[in-house]
Amino acid sequence: MAKGERRVLLVLGDYVEDYEAMVPFQALQAYGVSVDAVCPGMKAGDIYRRAIHQLSPAHQTYSESRGHNFALNATFDDIEFNKYDGLIIPGGRAPEYLALDASVLELVRKFSDS
């Protein structure tokens, strides 16, 4: 990492909401921050599926449909947590599933302890 360069790790889970992944990814990049998007069990270049949630007023509930494809740009198993300035775990259903993954919990513990 070059001096003064900022780097953030974006950890995506089973079915993250479309905008909850793309907004931090693109916004941080717009400010010159390097963002590595990873998902447990997947490698750089793998396609990650996102979800779109829409409110259905007639039924007073949300519907979920398949969102856009997202190409991961880093491999989860190769992550070195000490090379990052920040950690983002987007909302939606993703944190529920990520909380069951021991490798994600270990990463979060290491990051919070550093």
Side-chain angles (χ1 to χ4, degrees):
M1 183 162 48
K3 186 176 180 181
E5 180 185 5
R6 297 285 181 222
R7 204 166 179 191
V8 171
L9 182 61
L10 177 67
V11 181
L12 303 175
D14 297 15
Y15 218 40
V16 71
E17 216 284 328
D18 217 17
Y19 294 108
E20 290 176 343
M22 284 311 292
V23 169
F25 185 80
Q26 291 178 335
L28 288 165
Q29 286 182 328
Y31 281 97
V33 177
S34 293
V35 182
D36 287 345
V38 298
C39 180
M42 298 182 83
K43 298 179 180 180
D46 285 352
I47 300 298
Y48 180 82
R49 293 180 175 178
R50 295 176 293 161
I52 296 175
H53 296 106
Q54 296 177 333
L55 176 62
S56 174
H59 300 102
Q60 297 182 344
T61 188
Y62 287 91
S63 67
E64 180 176 273
S65 57
R66 186 164 185 246
H68 301 95
N69 289 335
F70 185 89
L72 300 174
N73 62 355
T75 300
F76 184 85
D77 291 338
D78 295 342
I79 294 302
E80 295 179 37
F81 77 93
N82 57 345
K83 292 187 176 183
Y84 293 92
D85 299 299
L87 174 67
I88 299 172
I89 299 178
R93 288 191 298 145
E96 296 173 28
Y97 295 107
L98 290 173
L100 301 173
D101 190 312
S103 61
V104 173
L105 296 177
E106 180 183 347
L107 175 72
V108 171
R109 283 188 197 105
K110 286 180 181 177
F111 198 86
S112 68
D113 289 344
S114 64

